[in-house]
Amino acid sequence: MALVVQKYGGSSVATAERIKRVAERIVATRKAGNEVVVVVSAMGDTTDELLDLAHQVSPLPAGRELDMLLTAGERISMALLAMAIHNLGYEARSYTGSQAGVLTTSTHGKARIIDVTPGRLRGALDEGAIAIVAGFQGVSQDTKDITTLGRGGSDTTAVALAAALHADVCEIYTDVDGVFTADPRIVPNARHIKQITYEEMLELAACGAKVLMLRCVEYARRFGMPIHVRSSYSNNPGTMVTGSMEDVPVEQAMITGVAHDRSEAKITIVGVPDEPGAAARVFETVASAESNIDMIVQNVSTEATGRTDISFTLPKTDGPAAMAALGKVQDKIGFKGLLYDDHIGKVSLIGAGMRSHPGVAATFFASMADAGINIEMISTSEIRVSVVCRDTDLDAAVRAVHDAFELGGDEEAVVYAGTGR
Amino acid sequence: MALVVQKYGGSSVATAERIKRVAERIVATRKAGNEVVVVVSAMGDTTDELLDLAHQVSPLPAGRELDMLLTAGERISMALLAMAIHNLGYEARSYTGSQAGVLTTSTHGKARIIDVTPGRLRGALDEGAIAIVAGFQGVSQDTKDITTLGRGGSDTTAVALAAALHADVCEIYTDVDGVFTADPRIVPNARHIKQITYEEMLELAACGAKVLMLRCVEYARRFGMPIHVRSSYSNNPGTMVTGSMEDVPVEQAMITGVAHDRSEAKITIVGVPDEPGAAARVFETVASAESNIDMIVQNVSTEATGRTDISFTLPKTDGPAAMAALGKVQDKIGFKGLLYDDHIGKVSLIGAGMRSHPGVAATFFASMADAGINIEMISTSEIRVSVVCRDTDLDAAVRAVHDAFELGGDEEAVVYAGTGR
């Protein structure tokens, strides 16, 4: 008997009909002799509707109360799912994050899981019940207040519970059949990936692939928990995320896939004095605004001016706060101006085999040039090459790179509607 | 500095606009130098919408999961209310029933409060915050599962918290200016009652007056907690529920008011053998179906048949279960048949002064006769007379009794829209 943790996103439980379908899938897993723990997101647009209500009563809702409000969403979906399972003749019990023992930091809106004490879940499983757990939420170890984990939180809940319960596998149900060599909405012949290492998945997630969130993959890697990314609309095998880069046979394909990201903006600090400590002061300022920086490029300064330009990318949502923080220190640091550009796109090529194959970057850049796309910034890691271009060039860039490395398959990938959090 | 517990029903917080208005009232109470604890129901139709969803996934949702589902309603309203208070510059923290220490029995859907341990609320008040608590819900002392208290549960939560916190007063906000001598929707010149004893309020509630639920008044009486029933749409003084019948001065008005009830049905068991134990067997059967019986009438049996008829009233919602249970034992008990009548109404006259004034019942029955209304059943207590009539005669019966005892005032009562749970 295996212990399976399954996670269903918001689109999988968006309506009563879909909840019933998910219940059937869960019961089928139970019938096959498995112990089942299910993590569920809020139904469809519930979170957005609750956020809308919050903004109607307060322009800047307090984090503690926003978390209290949003966690009502999973409470609704999990109770309905438990009812739908009962209706199929199986015992199911729903648990809030707090009841399931998901202990977090107290940073409302983006709490981190500190520990999981799944005693009540284990008890429910021992009594033959299916345990349904609210994703995305927990309880602060210090303040005992309800917290939420931020974007992708339900995936992280699932992996954390799977690790704490020593599950055999954590199945993440989504609206696609797993991970593809590129987004099938942009590259119709993108190939399905059967298996991928944690490191490659981390790079894909960090580069904008939305199928799994970064933190969830980090958690899985830390605990060696295999993740099976599957579609909740089909019975096709999905993508197994498991194993380390060290285990990848040398003969494996050099390149895993292409990721893209439209969520970043670029800030350029013009005319920074070319002296020791200037860059440090700039990025201390940005860090104090709690902005996450991605790529950084510093131009060579000319002797004539003794000044240089520094550009960096960051999530668009962090842009205004970072600009405000930098504006305040302009005189102190002595730079000449700030430019904000939110019309950029990032395309990244990821592959564990890249390490031992020189020339990948050259082929990448050549494919961009052939497509007439200007490269604005470059960043690389051991298993990744990323470039920034105009956002209007992004789709063409993804297709060009995907073609250049011959990643395409013979069939069109199937795309389903919607996605969860 | 007084400690005030305020309770707002679902219609008072039905929209973001109304929540903001309630927040202003709460802040005004805080500004006046009071410590404030607020109990809140779910927004407007939320509970019905959640129930509808439940019935879409399961014809008979499990009690545990239904409670988990419905408690999402107060979670939403209380978080929004806390945000709206923050927005006015005051600190507010929302607490679920469980967090507020509302410990209950484990009967889902109609749990009873066993104990209240308001440590977190006391802590919040000590730090100067306004505490917002979800009404209608608690946590089972035994199973640690989330429970709901059933109809009127939010009022009971408020009184129970007020008692546990040794509050000075429990204010119940509703859609009318308090308790009236009759329902102003039926009797336009019904008079506002400034003060009423717990016993009279209990009889009114038991006889169908919806302004306060029975269990809440019982709780208040047990702990001697004064309840101030007020309108959330005005600043008029409401009705104080306080003091015992023993304290009522003899010169006080003999009659308090007229209550009516459309929620009951009548079951008649025809041809019951007139022998010892027959009635006991009938009512044991009804009790085993968990039906609450109100009035009972047994006819005199004729010597010719040696049989009698027994009629009783019960909530319409309990009707089908009671009929089914009685049907099963028809042969065993040996009665001839069952009649079900859900077109009855009950009108009741309540007054602490009634004890020392003979002739009340006679005046009551005469007023019914003058209005041409047939009396089907009669029941009395020390401070109450109730009769059952056709439901179509009910409004006329209420007006006739109200007039006969000259309970009317000179002004029309103001009626606001909607009501909470």
Side-chain angles (χ1 to χ4, degrees), chain B residues 115-362:
Chain B
D115 197 7
V116 179
T117 54
R120 286 185 77 172
L121 300 189
R122 190 61 259 174
L125 294 175
D126 289 345
E127 291 172 21
I130 295 163
I132 316 287
V133 181
F136 178 70
Q137 57 176 254
V139 62
S140 157
Q141 200 167 38
D142 292 342
T143 65
K144 309 294 172 212
D145 285 330
I146 302 303
T147 53
T148 65
L149 307 178
R151 270 180 62 82
S154 292
D155 291 359
T156 310
T157 303
V159 172
L161 286 176
L165 288 162
H166 307 290
D168 295 275
V169 64
C170 179
E171 299 181 341
I172 306 276
Y173 285 88
T174 177
D175 54 347
V176 287
D177 278 330
V179 185
F180 285 77
T181 51
D183 185 334
R185 277 165 275 228
I186 296 177
V187 183
N189 74 335
R191 238 179 346 94
H192 179 256
I193 300 173
K194 284 200 177 58
Q195 187 167 335
I196 187 171
T197 63
Y198 294 118
E199 287 88 344
E200 290 166 306
M201 194 64 232
L202 278 174
E203 288 282 6
L204 275 175
C207 292
K210 292 192 181 63
V211 65
L212 283 181
M213 294 302 291
L214 192 59
R215 207 184 289 177
C216 147
V217 184
E218 281 171 347
Y219 214 105
R221 180 198 199 183
R222 196 165 114 212
F223 290 94
M225 174 55 55
I227 300 179
H228 189 184
V229 186
R230 307 181 63 180
S231 165
S232 57
Y233 301 102
S234 80
N235 280 312
N236 300 344
T239 300
M240 286 299 297
V241 184
T242 188
S244 160
M245 215 165 68
E246 315 306 324
D247 310 329
V248 175
V250 178
E251 63 270 28
Q252 173 153 340
M254 187 171 64
I255 303 297
T256 306
V258 181
H260 69 278
D261 193 348
R262 283 178 221 282
S263 69
E264 295 195 338
K266 181 173 72 171
I267 292 177
T268 302
I269 305 149
V270 182
V272 182
D274 191 13
E275 60 190 30
R281 282 193 292 276
V282 163
F283 291 106
E284 276 162 16
T285 303
V286 178
S288 72
E290 304 222 346
S291 300
N292 289 307
I293 288 168
D294 181 18
M295 293 163 69
I296 302 175
V297 172
Q298 179 171 341
N299 291 351
V300 177
S301 70
T302 59
E303 264 187 52
T305 60
R307 289 181 181 270
T308 182
D309 299 338
I310 299 177
S311 293
F312 63 91
T313 61
L314 77 177
K316 278 179 187 162
T317 47
D318 289 345
M323 286 293 282
L326 285 167
K328 265 195 240 167
V329 297
Q330 175 161 4
D331 291 346
K332 200 171 133 209
I333 299 180
F335 59 82
K336 294 203 165 163
L338 286 170
L339 300 175
Y340 187 72
D341 180 356
D342 59 358
H343 289 289
I344 61 165
K346 186 174 76 167
V347 56
S348 304
L349 187 70
I350 286 114
M354 205 182 278
R355 290 175 298 169
S356 46
H357 288 76
V360 167

Side-chain angles (χ1 to χ4, degrees), chain A residues 20-58:
Chain A
K20 288 198 232 177
R21 213 154 49 185
V22 164
E24 281 167 14
R25 188 182 276 270
I26 293 166
V27 164
T29 310
R30 180 79 186 76
K31 267 188 187 160
N34 301 293
E35 294 186 313
V36 188
V37 173
V38 177
V39 174
V40 68
S41 301
M43 293 171 75
D45 301 326
T46 306
T47 304
D48 290 338
E49 287 164 15
L50 291 174
L51 276 174
D52 182 49
L53 270 175
H55 290 294
Q56 282 178 43
V57 298
S58 173

Side-chain angles (χ1 to χ4, degrees), chain A residues 259-272:
Chain A
H260 69 279
D261 194 348
R262 281 178 222 282
S263 69
E264 295 195 339
K266 180 173 73 171
I267 291 177
T268 302
I269 305 149
V270 182
V272 182

